[in-house]
Short mmCIF file of all heavy atoms in Angstrom, two decimals:
data_model
loop_
_atom_site.label_atom_id
_atom_site.label_comp_id
_atom_site.label_asym_id
_atom_site.label_seq_id
_atom_site.Cartn_x
_atom_site.Cartn_y
_atom_site.Cartn_z
N ASP A 555 130.65 171.07 110.48
CA ASP A 555 131.64 172.09 110.86
C ASP A 555 131.24 172.87 112.10
O ASP A 555 131.96 173.79 112.52
CB ASP A 555 131.88 173.05 109.69
CG ASP A 555 130.64 173.86 109.32
OD1 ASP A 555 129.59 173.70 109.97
OD2 ASP A 555 130.73 174.65 108.35
N ASN A 556 130.09 172.52 112.71
CA ASN A 556 129.60 173.14 113.95
C ASN A 556 129.26 174.63 113.80
O ASN A 556 129.04 175.32 114.80
CB ASN A 556 130.61 172.98 115.09
CG ASN A 556 130.79 171.54 115.51
OD1 ASN A 556 129.84 170.77 115.49
ND2 ASN A 556 132.01 171.17 115.88
N GLN A 557 129.14 175.11 112.56
CA GLN A 557 128.86 176.53 112.34
C GLN A 557 127.40 176.79 111.97
O GLN A 557 127.03 177.93 111.71
CB GLN A 557 129.79 177.08 111.25
CG GLN A 557 131.26 176.98 111.61
CD GLN A 557 131.58 177.61 112.96
OE1 GLN A 557 131.28 178.78 113.21
NE2 GLN A 557 132.19 176.83 113.84
N SER A 558 126.58 175.75 111.94
CA SER A 558 125.16 175.94 111.63
C SER A 558 124.37 174.76 112.13
O SER A 558 124.92 173.67 112.39
CB SER A 558 124.94 176.14 110.13
OG SER A 558 125.28 174.96 109.41
N LEU A 559 123.07 174.97 112.27
CA LEU A 559 122.12 173.89 112.50
C LEU A 559 121.37 173.63 111.21
O LEU A 559 121.17 174.54 110.39
CB LEU A 559 121.12 174.27 113.60
CG LEU A 559 121.67 174.53 115.00
CD1 LEU A 559 120.53 174.92 115.94
CD2 LEU A 559 122.43 173.34 115.53
N ARG A 560 120.93 172.40 111.04
CA ARG A 560 120.08 172.05 109.91
C ARG A 560 118.74 171.56 110.44
O ARG A 560 118.70 170.65 111.28
CB ARG A 560 120.72 170.97 109.05
CG ARG A 560 121.98 171.41 108.32
CD ARG A 560 122.50 170.28 107.46
NE ARG A 560 123.70 170.66 106.72
CZ ARG A 560 124.35 169.84 105.89
NH1 ARG A 560 123.88 168.60 105.70
NH2 ARG A 560 125.43 170.25 105.26
N ILE A 561 117.66 172.16 109.96
CA ILE A 561 116.31 171.74 110.34
C ILE A 561 115.74 170.93 109.18
O ILE A 561 115.32 171.49 108.16
CB ILE A 561 115.40 172.94 110.65
CG1 ILE A 561 116.04 173.82 111.72
CG2 ILE A 561 114.03 172.46 111.11
CD1 ILE A 561 115.25 175.08 112.02
N TYR A 562 115.75 169.62 109.31
CA TYR A 562 115.23 168.73 108.28
C TYR A 562 113.71 168.61 108.45
O TYR A 562 113.21 168.44 109.55
CB TYR A 562 115.87 167.35 108.37
CG TYR A 562 117.31 167.33 107.92
CD1 TYR A 562 118.34 167.68 108.78
CD2 TYR A 562 117.65 166.96 106.62
CE1 TYR A 562 119.66 167.67 108.37
CE2 TYR A 562 118.98 166.94 106.20
CZ TYR A 562 119.97 167.30 107.08
OH TYR A 562 121.28 167.30 106.67
N THR A 563 113.00 168.68 107.32
CA THR A 563 111.54 168.56 107.34
C THR A 563 111.13 167.61 106.23
O THR A 563 111.78 167.53 105.18
CB THR A 563 110.87 169.95 107.18
OG1 THR A 563 109.46 169.84 107.36
CG2 THR A 563 111.18 170.57 105.83
N THR A 564 110.07 166.85 106.44
CA THR A 564 109.68 165.83 105.46
C THR A 564 109.23 166.47 104.15
O THR A 564 108.72 167.60 104.12
CB THR A 564 108.57 164.95 106.03
OG1 THR A 564 108.34 163.84 105.14
CG2 THR A 564 107.28 165.72 106.22
N ILE A 565 109.42 165.73 103.05
CA ILE A 565 108.90 166.15 101.73
C ILE A 565 107.96 165.09 101.18
O ILE A 565 107.71 165.02 99.98
CB ILE A 565 110.05 166.41 100.75
CG1 ILE A 565 110.97 165.19 100.64
CG2 ILE A 565 110.84 167.65 101.16
CD1 ILE A 565 112.03 165.31 99.56
N ILE A 566 107.42 164.26 102.08
CA ILE A 566 106.52 163.18 101.69
C ILE A 566 105.07 163.65 101.85
O ILE A 566 104.66 163.99 102.97
CB ILE A 566 106.76 161.93 102.54
CG1 ILE A 566 108.21 161.47 102.41
CG2 ILE A 566 105.80 160.80 102.15
CD1 ILE A 566 108.61 160.36 103.37
N PRO A 567 104.28 163.69 100.79
CA PRO A 567 102.88 164.11 100.93
C PRO A 567 102.09 163.13 101.79
O PRO A 567 102.37 161.92 101.81
CB PRO A 567 102.35 164.10 99.48
CG PRO A 567 103.57 164.12 98.62
CD PRO A 567 104.64 163.40 99.38
N THR A 568 101.11 163.63 102.52
CA THR A 568 100.19 162.77 103.26
C THR A 568 98.80 163.38 103.21
O THR A 568 98.64 164.60 103.20
CB THR A 568 100.62 162.58 104.73
OG1 THR A 568 99.71 161.69 105.38
CG2 THR A 568 100.63 163.90 105.49
N GLU A 569 97.79 162.53 103.18
CA GLU A 569 96.40 162.99 103.23
C GLU A 569 95.88 163.02 104.66
O GLU A 569 94.79 163.54 104.90
CB GLU A 569 95.52 162.09 102.37
CG GLU A 569 95.82 162.20 100.87
CD GLU A 569 94.84 161.43 100.02
OE1 GLU A 569 94.00 160.70 100.60
OE2 GLU A 569 94.92 161.54 98.79
N TYR A 570 96.66 162.47 105.60
CA TYR A 570 96.23 162.53 107.00
C TYR A 570 96.42 163.96 107.52
O TYR A 570 97.40 164.63 107.20
CB TYR A 570 97.05 161.57 107.85
CG TYR A 570 96.74 160.11 107.58
CD1 TYR A 570 97.64 159.30 106.90
CD2 TYR A 570 95.55 159.54 108.02
CE1 TYR A 570 97.37 157.97 106.65
CE2 TYR A 570 95.26 158.20 107.76
CZ TYR A 570 96.18 157.42 107.08
OH TYR A 570 95.90 156.11 106.83
N ARG A 571 95.45 164.38 108.32
CA ARG A 571 95.55 165.70 108.92
C ARG A 571 95.41 165.58 110.43
O ARG A 571 94.69 164.72 110.95
CB ARG A 571 94.52 166.67 108.35
CG ARG A 571 93.07 166.24 108.53
CD ARG A 571 92.06 167.40 108.43
NE ARG A 571 92.39 168.33 107.38
CZ ARG A 571 91.87 169.56 107.30
NH1 ARG A 571 91.01 169.98 108.22
NH2 ARG A 571 92.20 170.37 106.32
N ASN A 572 96.11 166.44 111.13
CA ASN A 572 96.02 166.51 112.58
C ASN A 572 96.50 167.90 113.00
O ASN A 572 97.34 168.49 112.33
CB ASN A 572 96.92 165.45 113.24
CG ASN A 572 96.59 165.24 114.71
OD1 ASN A 572 95.63 164.53 115.05
ND2 ASN A 572 97.36 165.84 115.59
N TYR A 573 95.93 168.41 114.09
CA TYR A 573 96.45 169.68 114.58
C TYR A 573 97.91 169.49 115.01
O TYR A 573 98.35 168.37 115.29
CB TYR A 573 95.59 170.23 115.71
CG TYR A 573 95.40 169.32 116.92
CD1 TYR A 573 96.36 169.25 117.92
CD2 TYR A 573 94.23 168.57 117.06
CE1 TYR A 573 96.17 168.45 119.03
CE2 TYR A 573 94.03 167.77 118.17
CZ TYR A 573 95.01 167.70 119.15
OH TYR A 573 94.83 166.90 120.26
N THR A 574 98.64 170.59 115.05
CA THR A 574 100.04 170.50 115.43
C THR A 574 100.21 169.76 116.74
O THR A 574 99.48 169.99 117.72
CB THR A 574 100.67 171.90 115.53
OG1 THR A 574 102.01 171.76 116.03
CG2 THR A 574 99.90 172.82 116.48
#
Side-chain angles (χ1 to χ4, degrees):
D555 64 1
N556 294 325
Q557 299 307 305
S558 65
L559 298 179
R560 293 182 179 180
I561 305 176
Y562 288 84
T563 187
T564 189
I565 54 173
I566 302 172
T568 183
E569 293 186 354
Y570 290 107
R571 59 159 41 196
N572 195 80
Y573 57 82
T574 174

